[in-house]
Amino acid sequence: MKTLTSNKAFWLLLVICVVTILPFLGLPEYHTKGEPRESIVSYSMLESDNWILPRNNGGEIPYKPPFFHWTIAAVSTLNGGQVTEMTSRLPSAIALISMTLFGFLFFAKRKGTEVALLTAFITLTNFELHRAGANCRVDMVLTALTVCALYCFYRWYEKGLKGIPWLAILLMSLGTLTKGPVGTIIPCLVTGVFLLLRGVNFFRAFLLLSAWAILSLILPFCWYIAAYQQGGEEFLALVMEENFGRMTNTMSYDSCVNPWHYNFVTLFAGYVPWTLLALLSLFSLTYHKFSIQPAAWWKRFTAWIKNMDPVDLFALTSIVATFIFYCIPQSKRSVYLMPIYPFIAYFLAKYLFYLVKKRSKVIKVYGSILAVLSLLLFACFIAVKCGLIPETIFQGRHAQNNINFLRAIQNINGIGSFILIAIPTLLGICWWFYQRKYTLSNRFLYAIVALTMGMYIALDGAYQPPILNSKSVKSVAAEIERVVPASAGTLYEFIEAGVRSIGDPVHYFEINFYLGNRIGNFYKDRPSEGFLLIGMQDAERNLPEFEKEGYQFERIYQSPKPVLRQTAEIYKFIKK
């Protein structure tokens, strides 16, 4: 790796990113409410030609600004205007790849190719970013825009705060158009704290960053005005709830409410598998006795901050400021912390090179653990294929789901899947010969990266798609399309939990996407005839009440698998 130039490393990294992410994006069907909820907005944009505030899911307005949905619609236009699992996830994948490459260029220029390349690989292979990069959610796009805006602000700092950081301003604008003002707040907050720590006058830093923040809000402000003209008070109330209410803990309903320690736990879990290496390394370090001297500690700490390398200080500030910011609201999700992940990767890369320099055996131990896991994964696959694991071992509430997962693995076939499954196994075997033959060097770190990527490739390309597809209701949607085609009449939904919820209502998001966004809202519309999609328990509780209003119902379909934890039914109805 020492002879690898920055230019060659960049193209190598690009090829690895593309090969390990893009081929597997379209394999899993939608199996959660989040992905179809976002993709259906893009579907509505293309269908209605409304690119400002399209209505979907029975008349609901989108909960997020439109940039992410614009990107899906743009990609889908290249696919003949068809929004698919692949086209809806591609913007997130491109965002992860772009952020990884941008980070490589940033650190390569300032810290060398080796540190930058390992930083990029760690960024690419931690669980949270890897998962978000293959998901149709706004968070990966927002993360990439936020992190790249921070990189641009550092370049502006290197130039002595001269000129206007137009690219940072544009990225913040797009970030705000992705998920609200937080797209501008985080880059300006981090940069402001960094400038103060570097001795920049408070008023100069405040005025400059305020000016850049105002400029970044011009494009979003234009969209907000246009959206308000379409959505009126309903749109304004949603904006206040999702942005100001979420940050000030004044939302009318609970949304992702978690305790103060949640961010620590989710950060630890999100950086798997690298957190295991960090934990193992703690046992290899040498510790010294220390006495409790708060005054002396504070003095050393301030001196350390003052003399810290500016890149290190900027990365540390990005981590700490962002982490503290997201500890303030009650609403906490693991994806909120993703902007700090590339900066953690930088410090982790430096730490791993330090361990190699100290000839720490932990590198070989960790690599051996990954090799064993890759071999165990293959052994488990063989055991499942041979029927050595009985279905009777699964008991309790989730027994049927686990049985479905087991059957999905048993049904894995095809030369392509077998090749992908063999990759981590072969890499695990190669590791054992490699670590016995060669002495510890920086090359071992890239061997560990290869082991990690091999496991991801097998999971993403072979194991995960059939398992996740066993949870999908795409087959149910196909049956509904056969029983109630669009030409037969309008299909409506009724979900008791969605009617009673104060905010963030529940819908048949997956089924509605696969049916082409043609499900109406029975509770609001009260139509005189049509077809009703409803859960079995909801039907038992609510259909008698509707019959008192003059409705007559005839059941014509019952799903073979649960949808939203209930057997889905379709009734043909008429109101006399």
Side-chain angles (χ1 to χ4, degrees):
M1 289 296 174
K2 290 184 178 179
T3 59
L4 197 64
T5 64
S6 178
N7 187 51
K8 291 181 179 179
F10 175 86
W11 291 110
L12 172 66
L13 179 61
L14 175 60
V15 171
I16 291 175
C17 288
V18 170
V19 170
T20 58
I21 296 178
L22 298 189
F24 314 120
L25 291 179
L27 297 182
E29 299 168 356
Y30 292 144
H31 54 278
T32 63
K33 73 172 186 177
E35 288 193 286
R37 175 177 176 172
E38 301 299 341
S39 62
I40 200 69
V41 178
S42 303
Y43 186 100
S44 301
M45 287 179 173
L46 293 169
E47 184 183 45
S48 65
D49 202 28
N50 183 343
W51 297 78
I52 302 299
L53 201 68
R55 296 277 178 170
N56 51 83
N57 293 309
E60 185 176 281
I61 61 176
Y63 273 58
K64 300 293 187 293
F67 178 71
F68 177 64
H69 310 112
W70 289 344
T71 61
I72 296 176
V75 172
S76 300
T77 300
L78 302 177
N79 188 44
Q82 296 296 315
V83 180
T84 65
E85 293 93 343
M86 175 70 176
T87 62
S88 67
R89 292 167 180 151
L90 193 56
S92 294
I94 293 174
L96 174 58
I97 294 172
S98 301
M99 184 182 72
T100 302
L101 295 172
F102 206 141
F104 168 77
L105 295 175
F106 178 84
F107 288 112
K109 180 180 179 180
R110 295 160 181 85
K111 294 298 175 180
T113 301
E114 274 201 304
V115 171
L117 189 59
L118 186 57
T119 298
F121 283 140
I122 295 174
T123 299
L124 194 65
T125 55
N126 70 76
F127 171 73
E128 194 67 69
L129 288 182
H130 179 83
R131 177 179 65 169
N135 218 322
C136 175
R137 301 296 293 269
V138 303
D139 304 289
M140 188 65 249
V141 172
L142 173 66
T143 297
L145 293 169
T146 300
V147 172
C148 292
L150 286 169
Y151 292 148
C152 292
F153 268 135
Y154 187 85
R155 291 174 55 190
W156 172 64
Y157 160 76
E158 288 181 319
K159 296 177 181 179
L161 309 185
K162 296 179 180 178
I164 301 176
W166 288 111
L167 184 55
I169 292 170
L170 175 60
L171 292 172
M172 289 193 298
S173 291
L174 298 180
T176 301
L177 279 171
T178 300
K179 204 175 181 180
V182 71
T184 292
I185 293 173
I186 292 295
C188 289
L189 172 66
V190 170
T191 305
V193 174
F194 170 73
L195 293 180
L196 294 180
L197 292 175
R198 294 299 294 175
V200 176
N201 179 270
F202 171 82
F203 291 103
R204 184 187 182 196
F206 178 79
L207 291 175
L208 286 173
L209 290 172
S210 296
W212 309 152
I214 292 172
L215 288 176
S216 74
L217 294 176
I218 293 177
L219 288 178
F221 185 69
C222 294
W223 173 78
Y224 277 106
I225 292 177
Y228 177 75
Q229 291 176 343
Q230 290 191 21
E233 293 301 319
E234 179 187 5
F235 168 74
L236 184 60
L238 180 63
V239 170
M240 297 298 292
E241 182 96 299
E242 286 294 309
N243 293 286
F244 299 101
R246 190 177 295 274
M247 284 305 303
T248 58
N249 301 326
T250 58
M251 295 185 71
S252 60
Y253 64 97
D254 291 338
S255 176
C256 305
V257 174
N258 287 292
W260 65 270
H261 58 271
Y262 174 84
N263 282 346
F264 292 94
V265 175
T266 192
L267 180 60
F268 181 87
Y271 234 95
V272 168
W274 297 100
T275 44
L276 176 60
L277 176 54
L279 282 176
L280 290 174
S281 70
L282 297 180
F283 298 98
S284 67
L285 301 178
T286 302
Y287 299 93
H288 302 282
K289 293 183 179 180
F290 65 93
S291 57
I292 300 178
Q293 298 177 325
W297 288 356
W298 178 252
K299 185 176 181 181
R300 285 197 296 268
F301 175 74
T302 54
W304 175 63
I305 292 293
K306 183 178 180 181
N307 298 318
M308 184 181 286
D309 175 84
V311 174
D312 290 3
L313 180 60
F314 182 73
L316 181 62
T317 305
S318 300
I319 295 171
V320 176
T322 305
F323 186 87
I324 293 176
F325 176 84
Y326 280 116
C327 285
I328 297 173
Q330 292 178 337
S331 179
K332 297 179 178 67
R333 292 180 62 215
S334 59
V335 292
Y336 293 171
L337 298 178
M338 289 197 307
I340 73 177
Y341 278 49
F343 300 103
I344 293 177
Y346 164 66
F347 285 115
L348 186 55
K350 292 181 64 176
Y351 179 57
L352 295 184
F353 282 121
Y354 166 80
L355 292 176
V356 171
K357 184 179 179 181
K358 293 297 182 180
R359 292 290 184 259
S360 174
K361 294 182 180 180
V362 72
I363 300 297
K364 287 191 174 183
V365 171
Y366 174 72
S368 298
I369 291 175
L370 288 184
V372 169
L373 289 176
S374 66
L375 297 176
L376 286 176
L377 186 63
F378 180 73
C380 290
F381 172 69
I382 296 299
V384 172
K385 287 289 287 184
C386 294
L388 300 180
I389 301 178
E391 295 180 355
T392 53
I393 67 172
F394 300 114
Q395 302 293 330
R397 177 181 175 184
H398 301 290
Q400 188 57 52
N401 284 338
N402 293 328
I403 291 173
N404 292 338
F405 297 162
L406 187 69
R407 293 172 180 173
I409 296 175
Q410 288 176 337
N411 293 329
I412 292 177
N413 288 300
I415 186 66
S417 296
F418 292 146
I419 291 175
L420 295 177
I421 289 171
I423 289 175
T425 309
L426 295 175
L427 289 174
I429 295 172
C430 291
W431 168 266
W432 289 107
F433 290 101
Y434 185 82
Q435 61 95 17
R436 288 171 178 266
K437 184 176 180 180
Y438 297 100
T439 57
L440 186 63
S441 66
N442 290 346
R443 292 179 181 271
F444 275 73
L445 300 178
Y446 299 104
I448 287 175
V449 169
L451 279 171
T452 306
M453 287 186 171
M455 296 184 71
Y456 274 130
I457 288 173
L459 291 171
D460 294 344
Y463 294 114
Q464 195 169 253
I467 291 175
L468 296 180
N469 290 348
S470 69
K471 299 167 57 179
S472 172
V473 295
K474 185 176 182 178
S475 60
V476 175
E479 292 181 1
I480 293 175
E481 179 64 31
R482 177 181 57 82
V483 175
V484 188
S487 58
T490 305
L491 180 63
Y492 298 89
E493 69 171 17
F494 177 86
I495 304 173
E496 185 177 347
V499 171
R500 292 181 176 180
S501 63
I502 300 175
D504 196 14
V506 181
H507 296 286
Y508 288 108
F509 292 107
E510 298 166 79
I511 291 180
N512 189 36
F513 173 83
Y514 287 120
L515 290 180
N517 192 33
R518 68 180 183 92
I519 299 181
N521 191 313
F522 179 86
Y523 187 77
K524 290 182 179 179
D525 297 347
R526 285 298 203 275
S528 59
E529 62 179 359
F531 299 89
L532 177 64
L533 174 61
I534 187 172
M536 179 183 291
Q537 287 76 25
D538 284 353
E540 293 174 354
R541 289 190 295 265
N542 294 278
L543 291 193
E545 295 299 321
F546 295 141
E547 288 173 346
K548 293 178 182 179
E549 300 178 18
Y551 283 99
Q552 293 181 349
F553 297 94
E554 177 189 359
R555 190 176 70 187
I556 60 174
Y557 172 78
Q558 193 172 60
S559 68
K561 62 190 300 185
V563 182
L564 296 180
R565 301 180 181 179
Q566 296 186 43
T567 298
E569 298 180 331
I570 292 183
Y571 290 82
K572 184 177 182 180
F573 68 86
I574 186 170
K575 184 177 183 181
K576 292 187 176 180

